[in-house]
């Protein structure tokens, strides 16, 4: 009798759990490709519900600090590979360039492509996901998940 009651409790608890846990965010999926680190986000009142921000300094490191160096990077948005929607004007308007800074506001489905002088990284932004990504001062790449 106790075994039957215990099985009923276990089945009840298991059915209350969600079918699948939410996976990592788009920025969290992009971060390992570019060796980005997560930083604390200070509430600024302009970006509600910002979950997390990731960034990397392309000129970081002792060697470049001592001997100098350069960094090259680009950022673009394109259609997701499995997307039926191909609205090219939406992708070309997603990124704005101002002098050496680039800012991209990406709403899925789309693919964000970041190329540096060392690597090329891409992340598929799923439908319902929104991120702000960009390049600051030509050397700092950042990505912020918006909820």
């Amino acid at each position: 009798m106790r075994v039957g009651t215990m099985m009923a409790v276990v089945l009840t608890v298991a059915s209350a759990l969600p079918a699948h846990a939410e996976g990592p965010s788009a920025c969290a999926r992009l971060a390992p490709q570019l060796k980005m680190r997560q930083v604390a986000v200070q509430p600024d009142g302009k970006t509600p519900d910002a979950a997390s921000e990731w960034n990397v300094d392309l000129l970081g490191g002792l060697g470049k600090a001592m001997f100098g160096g350069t960094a090259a990077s680009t950022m673009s948005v394109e259609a997701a590979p499995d997307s039926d929607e191909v609205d090219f004007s939406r992708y070309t308007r997603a990124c704005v360039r101002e002098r050496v800074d680039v800012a991209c506001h990406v709403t899925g489905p789309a693919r964000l492509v970041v190329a540096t002088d060392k690597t090329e990284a891409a992340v598929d932004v799923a439908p319902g996901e929104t991120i702000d990504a960009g390049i600051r001062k030509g050397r700092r790449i950042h990505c912020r998940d918006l909820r």
Side-chain angles (χ1 to χ4, degrees):
M1 184 66 173
R2 287 185 178 176
V3 173
T5 306
M6 182 61 91
M7 290 295 280
V9 170
V10 170
L11 291 176
T12 304
V13 172
S15 65
L17 295 174
H20 66 284
E22 186 176 320
S25 65
C27 290
R29 295 190 307 268
L30 179 66
Q33 299 177 52
L34 296 172
K35 299 180 182 170
M36 299 172 88
R37 293 185 180 178
Q38 190 171 14
V39 295
V41 176
Q42 300 297 325
D44 60 359
K46 297 178 186 175
T47 314
D49 300 328
S52 61
E53 183 171 339
W54 300 79
N55 66 30
V56 65
D57 187 349
L58 297 176
L59 290 179
L62 185 59
K64 289 189 178 181
M66 290 177 63
F67 304 111
T70 61
S73 57
T74 62
M75 190 171 284
S76 63
V77 178
E78 57 189 42
D82 58 347
S83 176
D84 294 335
E85 175 187 344
V86 181
D87 181 8
F88 291 107
S89 64
R90 180 172 77 99
Y91 304 125
T92 57
R93 289 188 316 247
C95 294
V96 177
R97 183 177 174 96
E98 185 175 316
R99 296 190 184 195
V100 296
D101 293 347
V102 176
C104 298
H105 183 79
V106 186
T107 301
R111 172 176 276 184
L112 176 69
V113 179
V114 181
T116 69
D117 52 353
K118 294 183 180 178
T119 187
E120 183 172 318
V123 65
D124 292 332
V125 181
E129 281 186 310
T130 303
I131 62 171
D132 279 337
I135 305 168
R136 295 181 185 130
K137 298 182 181 179
R139 62 183 260 190
R140 290 188 180 105
I141 298 174
H142 66 92
C143 183
R144 179 183 281 189
D145 296 299
L146 304 176
R147 305 262 178 200

